[in-house]
Amino acid sequence: AMSEETFLYLTTTGWKSGRPHEIEIWFVAADGCYYAVAEGGDRAHWVQNIRPSPAVGWMVGTRDQHAAAGPQRRPGYARALAAPDDAEHIARIRRLMEARYGWSRGLVVQICPSPDTDPAP
């Protein structure tokens, strides 16, 4: 059921406000990190937030699990992938997103758990 769909919940720090902002977004996991696609690219507020403040909070789960977890989030770091350096990586993530959601247009962002926490599956 759609209610059981799993999302990535990403908490960034507002680059103007300094306040936490959380989004619910589609994702894929690869190489111990998570990846999301910002349809708005650099115009997406959450992308604007991670550029100056890459430290983020995150959790993966259903809406029910998210609600039950309250404010608890695991620490991590986010960065926008950029060609040409990340070109192969970007292509791979787009393939994974296409396979899972039938969609991959936008800026690919990597969210990695902090080194002292468990890696993504």
Side-chain angles (χ1 to χ4, degrees):
M2 285 300 286
S3 62
E4 293 303 305
E5 187 175 3
T6 303
F7 297 97
L8 174 76
Y9 293 91
L10 182 69
T11 304
T12 62
T13 300
W15 67 275
K16 276 192 277 199
S17 69
R19 291 197 301 267
H21 290 272
E22 188 174 66
I23 60 163
E24 174 189 272
I25 197 164
W26 283 349
F27 72 97
V28 293
D31 307 322
C33 293
Y34 296 101
Y35 296 85
V37 176
E39 193 168 13
D42 280 306
R43 293 189 310 279
H45 290 288
W46 63 277
V47 173
Q48 291 175 12
N49 289 347
I50 66 171
R51 291 204 185 274
S53 303
V56 297
W58 63 274
M59 75 164 286
V60 166
T62 63
R63 287 183 175 152
D64 286 348
Q65 289 168 334
H66 173 253
Q72 290 185 305
R73 301 290 175 266
R74 297 171 68 180
Y77 295 94
R79 73 177 184 99
L81 301 188
D85 294 354
D86 297 311
E88 282 182 41
H89 210 43
I90 291 166
R92 179 173 176 222
I93 299 309
R94 289 198 195 288
R95 287 194 299 272
L96 291 171
M97 290 291 292
E98 286 288 345
R100 185 166 183 179
Y101 300 109
W103 171 86
S104 68
R105 287 184 60 182
L107 179 69
V108 177
V109 175
Q110 178 186 63
I111 301 106
C112 293
S114 293
D116 54 344
T117 61
D118 296 327

